[in-house]
Amino acid sequence: VTGVQTCAPIFSQAYQLTQRASQVGFDWPSIEGVLKKLDEEMGEFREALSLRNRRKIREEMGDLLFVLANVSRLLQINPEEALRKTLEKFVSRFHYIETSLRKEGKTLQQSNLIEMDRLWEESKKKKGSK
């Protein structure tokens, strides 16, 4: 699989690699096959977690991310853009938590997970997103 830009962001490289492989017939016949592979990889990741094997956890995490890049390709969704949008959403919601706590005269350190989670859900409702 030559011709993949090694200076491109890593998700883009994975996307391009699976695209190249697809062009020569090394591809899933449907999205269902790759989703089944995702489930399989998640099982292997959970197993590695239970063993607390750091090397294996890292390996399985890489496999999960690679399969997700392949899912993106099959759905014609740029994985970099999808992740960027999610990061923007996260930053906006976390900022809401910080701002809300500040209005109450609190810091993040003076709060707890239950309170932050409540504000997170409140932020989702105010922004009209899930």
Side-chain angles (χ1 to χ4, degrees):
V1 267
T2 57
V4 172
Q5 302 171 358
T6 56
C7 62
I10 201 70
F11 262 124
S12 293
Q13 287 181 47
Y15 187 100
Q16 290 174 27
L17 278 169
T18 61
Q19 194 168 37
R20 292 283 179 154
S22 173
Q23 290 169 349
V24 296
F26 191 70
D27 202 358
W28 301 98
S30 72
I31 189 73
E32 290 308 314
V34 76
L35 291 177
K36 187 175 179 182
K37 182 66 174 174
L38 183 60
D39 290 340
E40 175 189 321
E41 293 296 347
M42 181 55 82
E44 292 174 7
F45 178 73
R46 287 178 185 278
E47 182 180 333
L49 281 175
S50 72
L51 298 173
R52 298 184 177 175
N53 180 328
R54 189 106 176 117
R55 183 195 57 77
K56 190 69 174 161
I57 291 168
R58 183 178 50 244
E59 179 183 320
E60 296 304 336
M61 175 64 75
D63 290 351
L64 275 172
L65 294 170
F66 187 74
V67 172
L68 286 171
N70 206 0
V71 170
S72 293
R73 179 189 58 82
L74 286 166
L75 297 174
Q76 298 178 338
I77 295 172
N78 181 311
E80 298 286 336
E81 289 175 18
L83 184 54
R84 188 173 297 108
K85 290 286 186 193
T86 294
L87 292 177
E88 289 169 5
K89 208 170 28 173
F90 179 88
V91 168
S92 173
R93 291 175 183 169
F94 200 81
H95 180 71
Y96 181 87
I97 292 170
E98 291 174 313
T99 303
S100 297
L101 288 172
R102 200 172 312 123
K103 286 178 184 173
E104 296 173 15
K106 289 180 161 181
T107 65
L108 289 168
Q109 293 75 17
Q110 294 168 323
S111 184
N112 60 46
L113 182 57
I114 294 169
E115 185 174 27
M116 287 187 275
D117 193 45
R118 178 186 56 78
L119 290 168
W120 180 272
E121 293 301 320
E122 189 176 294
S123 170
K124 287 169 51 175
K125 289 177 185 167
K126 287 188 182 239
K127 301 285 182 179
S129 63
K130 295 180 181 178

